[in-house]
Amino acid sequence: MIVFNTTKALQSALQPLRAEGKTIGLVPTMGALHAGHASLVKRSVEENDCTVVSVFVNPTQFNDPTDLQNYPRTLEADCQLLESLHADFVFAPTVEEAYPEPDTRQFSYPPIDTVMEGARRPGHFNGVCQIVSKLFMWVQPTRAYFGEKDFQQIAVIRAMVSDQGFNLELRPCPIVREESGLALSSRNALLTEAERNTAVCISQALKTSVEYAKNHTVAETHDLVVGALNATAGLEVEYFEIVDGISLQPVASWEASDYIVGCITVYCGQRPVRLIDNIKYKG
Ligand code: PAF
């Protein structure tokens, strides 16, 4: 496994592989890798001749400077894990390397990027599109792998790929959960043991709601989840939206779409840590 810090070195290593017709898998990450990332890397290694994993905490997608500052950074441990997973290349640029000049490009895909996370984190998806489009240009992957925990992010990137005409396959991969049900996230590292136990309630409430939804309305199902979580000490729901899985627009009834997903963001604990999760009701 080779670690590159510059786009030039990375591109020099990839160019001959591409010329030989080898397939390239890209797994974009912000590091602090866990079993969720490992599942993406394993899939890329299985499906491609060469796997590139980027590790870069992208400043342009953080709208809260404290969040950016607190984001866990564990490059050495990340590289050890990636080596054990047989990743070929790690790309870990500095901010100056990734953004030699301020990126003034604007990516806008309403309504997909204006609801839920887009409404609460202004500029977040623009920043995601800035870095992901740069990675796509540098790596020119055959396939790119993203976790479904960031459900809306995948929808925005799908829109960006189509808008920018990137010739690649997007590979959404299922959420990986702890045995407790807690969705794996780099942000879990910021939780105390007690907060982690509290955070388990999020996936439990979502799971319970799937059964409940079978004989209750969308509004009742929504209220069940929000009520249960807001009644739990240490948790505060920022939003829970039950939406069409493609347009991300709220649905009023279970008949409104063949593909329905509940997307949630919850603040957990003292700091607090912002956790996201989602569950499929239909489709
Ligand atoms: O999902 C993430 O970790 C990030 O948003 C991504 C896709 C690596 C872009 O920085």
Side-chain angles (χ1 to χ4, degrees), residues 28-30 37 56 58 61 71 128 131-132 146 150 153 157:
T29 82
M30 297 206 298
H37 297 110
F56 178 62
N58 172 38
Q61 71 187 75
Y71 202 86
V128 169
I131 194 63
V132 171
F146 295 90
D150 296 293
Q153 172 170 275
I157 292 172

Side-chain angles (χ1 to χ4, degrees), residues 79-102:
C79 287
Q80 277 171 18
L81 175 68
L82 293 173
E83 178 118 57
S84 76
L85 295 169
H86 310 292
D88 299 284
F89 300 149
V90 175
F91 178 51
T94 59
V95 174
E96 293 71 29
E97 180 68 17
Y99 294 102
E101 275 155 34

Side-chain angles (χ1 to χ4, degrees), residues 210-239:
V210 173
E211 265 313 295
Y212 186 83
K214 290 183 181 156
N215 40 29
H216 291 84
T217 65
V218 169
E220 287 165 344
T221 305
H222 172 274
D223 292 352
L224 175 87
V225 171
V226 174
L229 294 178
N230 281 343
T232 306
L235 296 182
E236 193 189 330
V237 176
E238 186 179 26
Y239 68 84

Side-chain angles (χ1 to χ4, degrees), residues 63-115:
N63 52 330
D64 174 356
T66 316
D67 194 20
L68 173 61
Q69 202 184 331
N70 289 341
Y71 202 86
R73 289 161 170 87
T74 57
L75 184 60
E76 212 176 301
D78 292 345
C79 287
Q80 277 171 18
L81 175 68
L82 293 173
E83 178 118 57
S84 76
L85 295 169
H86 310 292
D88 299 284
F89 300 149
V90 175
F91 178 51
T94 59
V95 174
E96 293 71 29
E97 180 68 17
Y99 294 102
E101 275 155 34
D103 194 337
T104 54
R105 292 173 303 157
Q106 290 295 322
F107 297 85
S108 173
Y109 305 111
I112 289 170
D113 62 350
T114 53
V115 295

Side-chain angles (χ1 to χ4, degrees), residues 16-65:
L17 298 179
R18 217 176 287 111
E20 285 173 40
K22 303 265 193 229
T23 54
I24 298 168
L26 170 66
V27 184
T29 82
M30 297 206 298
L33 302 181
H34 49 66
H37 297 110
S39 73
L40 307 183
V41 175
K42 279 184 201 153
R43 186 143 168 221
S44 174
V45 168
E46 272 164 28
E47 295 181 352
N48 299 281
D49 298 315
C50 171
T51 289
V52 181
V53 182
S54 61
V55 177
F56 178 62
V57 181
N58 172 38
T60 72
Q61 71 187 75
F62 285 81
N63 52 330
D64 174 356

